[in-house]
Amino acid sequence: MESPIQLALKPTIHTPPCTPPSSVLDEDHSYNVLSPPDLSLIRNDEDQLQPNSQQLETATEKCREYWYGLTAMAMSQRHNGILPAYANPRNMLGRVPAIHKDLRSTYTGHLGSSPSKALCVQAFSTWRVTDNTSCGLVKEEKKIPGSLQIGTLVPIPCTFGGDTFRRWIGTTCEERDMPSYLGILALGWCYILSAHLVEGQGEDAKMVYTNSKATRYHRETEHGRAPASTVDIGEVNEDVARWWAAILAPGEGWKAIVTRRDDGEYLAPWSVSREDTHCVGIKWRRNVSVPEDFTGSTPPSSRKAFELLAQFSLLHNLGSQFLVALAMAMTFPTHNYHATVVQLPFPTETRLPFPTETRGEEENTLPKSIIPEWITVNEELPFYMALSCNAEVVMSSLCGMFWEADVTCNLVSPWLHPILNEVPEGKGIIETPGLYYEILAILCGLRRPQISALFLGAAASGLMPTILRRIRRGRPPLDGNAFPWTGCPQSFMDIPGS
């Protein structure tokens, strides 16, 4: 039976309610993107399949100039801030379909290298001939199958041990070199995505708290020794503090149960278990007012959790980190697919920009207005969920950043050698943990701006070693749905006329 999730290349598709305008990727800026080198003139003898040593040396030098130039641009953006559009996840949606509620026709099995059994729904993309040309060699309609993971028996392991983006580089429109709250925000987004999926899956699906909690530290009443790291959540009531205690808990602080089967409970694919020994606590000023629609014993809805996370981001003036953290959470199922541990950056400081005690009473009690762009992203969550649930599309898109249409297969080695082997050994890069991965993430904004936010999220979640391992094998993954979904070409098959 076919899944309700479909993708057609003619407008019978589920498109995002607010597709980002093309100008968001064409805005005028001071970063001139270098054109990839033209290697076609290097080989004079077209009958010679294997380039000789001189041709390989010439090709390597041309590619070295290109990659070194991009690296210099990336270092400049790392210092001066990236373009705001590069941190916007809406650019990756393209023709991504939306995941539906009440998914049926599910099945279980193992995906990729994950030791955990997965709950999946069968989906497909529909390709149709869009012109009136009749060709007997090509079918007018073709369906490409795909699997969306909507559940896992075991939560994804994660730690606060990441080195990438431990200080946030910021955008050109905001303060830079700030503490990175990406790891904390990503855990909050995992809850939001999970709750959104659970809310559409019938009576058996539910969100529950576990007995695991982060250490709770009342700043105005408790003066004992605080945990090794504390996160200031501002002035909140006990119910909000209970949610944060679950988000930052060791192990599993909450469960998103999608369904129960004979072999166990299947959890939402963004379910996490923090397995490091990093002691994290929360501190806050108690707010006695309690919302009528929010009780401490009941985990908040996805919408309410979004509001809590957004208010936390506004409290700490986190800006672009809020949406990049969503892209981080989107890569968690891909970690599960490849059996890797999520490595989250933990902020070097977790205090408020201005102490709560010095703020006015009105500013303490009245919530700030959530940025409209954030609200729009939250309304489009079903599209991000569909992309995130297909780990093969995610990995194929990320690996596609290294592909170049004009580089022939016999010149791939000199094309990739500078960026894979020379840049990471550069002075100032090799000595700084995580810097090489940050450079690659920024490079993606220059080469594939549509998925720049996804690459930033992948780097910040610790997925970069897996991406590079797939590239070094010489046969990166190619998924037929990746290009029509994200708009990022990954092989000559994605180029019209090929």
Side-chain angles (χ1 to χ4, degrees), residues 210-268:
T210 70
N211 292 327
S212 180
K213 305 176 186 177
T215 303
R216 293 149 59 97
Y217 176 66
H218 298 279
R219 291 178 305 177
E220 77 277 15
T221 59
E222 300 178 9
H223 304 284
R225 185 176 181 180
S229 298
T230 55
V231 178
D232 197 328
I233 60 175
E235 182 175 340
V236 300
N237 57 53
E238 290 284 346
D239 307 290
V240 178
R242 176 66 184 91
W243 182 72
W244 276 108
I247 295 300
L248 298 176
E252 294 180 81
W254 50 271
K255 282 189 175 184
I257 303 172
V258 177
T259 188
R260 289 183 174 89
R261 296 203 173 190
D262 293 339
D263 52 351
E265 292 179 340
Y266 281 87
L267 310 175

Side-chain angles (χ1 to χ4, degrees), residues 72 128 143 167-168 173 190 207 255 291 293 296 300 312 332 378 380 412 433 445 469 472 484:
R128 295 190 179 99
K143 293 184 178 181
R167 300 287 298 182
W168 180 235
C173 298
C190 283
M207 301 291 296
K255 282 189 175 184
D293 62 340
F312 174 84
F332 281 31
N378 186 56
E380 296 172 351
V412 168
R469 186 166 59 250
R472 291 180 185 276

Side-chain angles (χ1 to χ4, degrees), residues 233-433:
I233 60 175
E235 182 175 340
V236 300
N237 57 53
E238 290 284 346
D239 307 290
V240 178
R242 176 66 184 91
W243 182 72
W244 276 108
I247 295 300
L248 298 176
E252 294 180 81
W254 50 271
K255 282 189 175 184
I257 303 172
V258 177
T259 188
R260 289 183 174 89
R261 296 203 173 190
D262 293 339
D263 52 351
E265 292 179 340
Y266 281 87
L267 310 175
W270 305 278
S271 298
V272 295
S273 176
R274 192 165 64 81
E275 298 186 347
D276 57 4
T277 57
H278 197 106
C279 183
V280 181
I282 58 172
K283 56 182 179 181
W284 77 96
R285 288 172 56 87
R286 183 178 285 110
N287 184 332
V288 296
S289 61
V290 180
E292 296 180 358
D293 62 340
F294 193 48
T295 63
S297 59
T298 303
S301 66
S302 61
R303 178 172 291 277
K304 185 64 180 182
F306 164 77
E307 295 173 359
L308 298 180
L309 194 66
Q311 288 296 334
F312 174 84
S313 297
L314 294 171
L315 182 69
H316 288 269
N317 192 30
L318 300 184
S320 57
Q321 294 188 53
F322 183 72
L323 295 184
V324 172
L326 167 60
M328 284 179 66
M330 290 175 61
T331 68
F332 281 31
T334 305
H335 277 280
N336 194 15
Y337 184 95
H338 292 277
T340 55
V341 177
V342 176
Q343 301 284 343
L344 301 174
F346 195 83
T348 53
E349 56 183 275
T350 54
R351 65 178 183 272
L352 292 174
F354 304 98
T356 306
E357 291 83 353
T358 65
R359 299 183 178 191
E361 184 67 25
E362 181 178 355
E363 186 175 354
N364 278 338
T365 56
L366 292 179
K368 296 182 179 179
S369 298
I370 299 176
I371 298 173
E373 183 181 44
W374 295 2
I375 297 175
T376 299
V377 169
N378 186 56
E379 292 172 347
E380 296 172 351
L381 276 189
F383 300 95
Y384 297 103
M385 292 164 65
L387 178 58
S388 176
C389 287
N390 195 322
E392 294 175 338
V393 167
V394 171
M395 183 56 70
S396 180
S397 299
L398 294 171
C399 289
M401 192 276 282
F402 295 90
W403 177 77
E404 184 59 45
D406 294 331
V407 176
T408 56
C409 60
N410 54 1
L411 293 176
V412 168
S413 181
W415 162 247
L416 292 177
H417 178 80
I419 190 62
L420 295 183
N421 300 299
E422 297 179 5
V423 171
E425 299 294 325
K427 184 178 179 180
I429 297 178
I430 189 174
E431 302 91 348
T432 308

